[in-house]
Every structure is written in C-alpha cells, then in structure tokens.
Amino acid sequence: MLKLLLSLIFMIPLCFVYQGWWLVQSILLLMTFGFMLMGMAGTFFAGVSYFMGCDVLSYGLILLSLWICALMVTASESVYRGNNHQQFFLFMVVMLLAFLVCTFSSLNLFLFYLFFESSLIPTLFLILGWGYQPERLQAGIYLLFYTLLASLPLLIGVFYLGELQFSLFIPMCMKTNFYGILLYLALILAFLVKMPMFLVHLWLPKAHVEAPVSGSMILAGVLLKLGGYGLLRIFSVLLLSGLTFNFVWVAISLVGGVLVSFICLRQTDLKALIAYSSVAHMGVVLGGLMTLTYWGFMSSYALMIAHGLCSSGLFCLANISYERTGSRSLLINRGLMSFMPSMTLWWFLLSSANMAAPPSLNLLSEIGLLNSMVGWTWVSMVMLSLVSFFSAAYTLYLYSYSQHGKFYAGMYSCAGGYVREYLLLFLHWVPLNLLILKSEPCVMWL
C-alpha cells in the first residue's frame, strides 16, 4: 500500500509541469491498472505496512477512487482549455486521491478519522475555486459545517474506544462489542451525515449544483461512500447497540427515500435531480446496511460501487449538455435527441443503470438490499416498493424530458460529442455492466 501512496506523492511535481495535463491523466490510469493487478481483494488484510492495509472493502473503494480521479481529469478539459489554473487543479485532484487512498487503507481508527476529515479540504477548494455561481461559497460552508459538526463526536468516540481497549487497531476492534447509546451515536453520526441520510442531506444538493463537473464526480463517486465504508468498519464494534437501535435509521432512510423521490420529480435543474437521486439511492444503502444481515452488508457495498460509477457518469452527461447549451435547466435542455443525437444513447444507457435495469451492478445490489430489508421485517415492503417505483419514475422523467420534445429555439445547430466525451462515458458504463459478471468479490467477502 505504501508504494501506491508514494507514487501519488511523487506525482505532485508532475502536476506543475508545463502542459502536463494528459501526462497526469495517463499516469493515473496506469496506476489504476497497476492496482487492479495487485489483487488484494482477499477477506483478510493484505499489503500491510506501517499504518495501511487492504482487504476487499478497501480494495473496491480505492480502485473506484483511482478510476474516478483519472476520469475527473478527462472530464475537466474546459479547465485545461481555458487555462483556468490547471496546475493547481491537478494538484488538488492528486491530493484528494492521496487522502482517499489513505482513508480507505488506514488500519488505525484515529488515522482513519484524520484522513476522513482531510478529504474535505481539496473538495472545498474544487467547489470554491472552479464552481460556476457565486452561491458556491454558501454551498462550501454548508458542506464544511455539516461534516465538521457531526465529526466532533466521532473523534471523542474514537478516543474513548481507544481508552476502553488500549488499541485503535481496526482488526483488533472486531473482537469487542460495546453497548451504550452515547458511544453508538457518537461513532455513527458523522457517517450518517456523510452518506447522507435523509434529514441531514441538505448540504449535498447545494454542493453538487455549485461544484464543477470534477467536484460533482468525486462527491457522488467516492465521498458519499466514505460514510458507508465507515459504517461497515465501525459496526464490528457496535453490533449489540446496533441490534437495539438500528430500526430508527432504517425507518428514516426508507421514508426519506420516498420523500426524496418526490422531490426529484419536481426538479428543473439537471444536476439537482441527479444529486437528489443519489440521496434516495444512499438511503436504500443505509437501510440495508443497518439491518446488520449478511445480505445487507454485501449488497450495500456493491451498490456503493455501482452508484459511484453510475452517478458520476450522469453528472458527466449533465456537464456535456451544460457546455453546449450554457444552462442546466430542463426547460432549455429539451429535445436533445435532435440537438445531440449521438449522446442520447449514453443518456439512455446510464439512466437505465440508474433505475437498476439489467445487466448493471445496480440490479444485483438492489435485489440483495430488498432481500435484506424484507427479511428483516416485512413491513418495509411498502416503502421499498414505493422507492423502487419512484426511482424508475424520476429517471424516466430525467431521460424523456431532456431527450424528447421540441428543443429550445435559441439553439439552431446540431452538436456532436468529442471523442474524449464518448471515451469518458464508455469508461463509466463498461465497468458498471461488466462487474456483474465478476460479482463474487462484491458479494462474498464477509
């Protein structure tokens, strides 16, 4: 794991090379394939060094981070073309990636907390530095304060845990079980905000709408998964408390999923619609995870990876439309089928993945999540059926409103896509649909 971190640190000077944009992107892709071939996806920790190690959970999410960061550079060509502080932008992406790799591979709970918080800083810079509207300042402050406020109890909880068992070493924590509502709340609250759970989700649509495409991609692709990863790790300590109190979170996330789906159905902003759909999906992930069942753990992990690729791809599409039409409003982005005919296929493929159509990884994981929650209590069937129905409804709304209809009279041309954009969408969609063929690592790691 240290070799991965060192190669990232030695990449930092390359960000400041004159016109080193595509060089950095190529090296990121090279590192992704290198990491893929390292084959650390075992049940036990592999590649253990001083403070880092890698098991299946870390492996999938580090791979996702590397992949999304390489694609972020591809998607943000407008930063390079407009010469908009491109070197600093690359530096931010590499720093964010380094923090994420450290977060997912930390073997110590305190270091995990430290890197978990550090990943906020480059994200904030991306939103404040390359965002579009003046409201990005407010969005950045929302993001910062929601996360920091909930993270203070986590820090106290981690230190208390260290005092109780004289160690913060994650594999050793798995042997202990603590019972107490205060410790339980302190340890999981930060992750619930990061997920984000309904009721503490308000920072997410704001941050998404104001962020540049790279910011949206990394937020949807990886930063939301920090919450799920933290919960999967921390519940090995909190099983007893979880069995007592978890029904509250399952209820909130299921009802929240339905309410957020209603909110999606009346959005006119492309990015806001995709952002709210992420909240609905992560609600289902949270519900499955909180059942503490085998199916729930497996499928929530699989859906985190599937949603990372799918949501990131949809944000790329929204940005491609935005670069052509200069607006994110669904009122202006109508009839794109006659304006950008070749992009309609990609809208269709990624939208169908978003509503868990086969053969995407979303389908596999959503079946598992339905299984886990219905097995936990049959009452959840009501809300789950509504969430499934409305997720299809708002995805169809997004697709049909943007692609069909009479296009806005201000656009009198037909626009093609660049090869770079087709490659970008291809690299989001192919792993999403190929992973279902090799889904054992996602589904059989416990």
Side-chain angles (χ1 to χ4, degrees), residues 8 24 107 124 154 190 206 217 224 254 275 360 380 391 400 444:
L8 274 172
V24 169
L107 289 179
L124 195 66
L154 174 66
K206 272 188 184 306
M217 284 169 71
L224 302 189
L254 283 177
S360 63
S380 64
S391 93
S400 57
M444 294 184 174

Side-chain angles (χ1 to χ4, degrees), residues 332-365:
I332 288 178
N333 285 297
R334 283 179 317 183
L336 290 180
M337 191 182 275
S338 41
F339 180 61
M340 298 182 72
S342 47
M343 272 302 161
T344 302
L345 172 70
W346 290 105
W347 274 101
F348 171 73
L349 290 173
L350 284 160
S351 300
S352 59
N354 195 38
M355 57 177 163
S360 63
L361 187 60
N362 300 54
L363 175 76
L364 174 81
S365 35

Side-chain angles (χ1 to χ4, degrees), residues 242-263:
L243 290 170
T244 319
F245 307 120
N246 271 2
F247 68 94
V248 182
W249 312 120
V250 179
I252 290 177
S253 58
L254 283 177
V255 175
V258 177
L259 294 177
V260 168
S261 302
F262 283 139
I263 294 173

Side-chain angles (χ1 to χ4, degrees), residues 34-51:
F35 184 69
M36 216 181 278
L37 296 173
M38 278 157 77
M40 293 188 183
T43 320
F44 303 106
F45 280 93
V48 179
S49 57
Y50 287 112
F51 67 96

Side-chain angles (χ1 to χ4, degrees), residues 25-61:
Q25 186 219 12
S26 313
I27 294 175
L28 279 172
L29 282 168
L30 200 65
M31 282 172 63
T32 310
F33 287 113
F35 184 69
M36 216 181 278
L37 296 173
M38 278 157 77
M40 293 188 183
T43 320
F44 303 106
F45 280 93
V48 179
S49 57
Y50 287 112
F51 67 96
M52 302 168 89
C54 185
D55 63 348
V56 175
L57 276 178
S58 316
Y59 181 80
L61 289 163

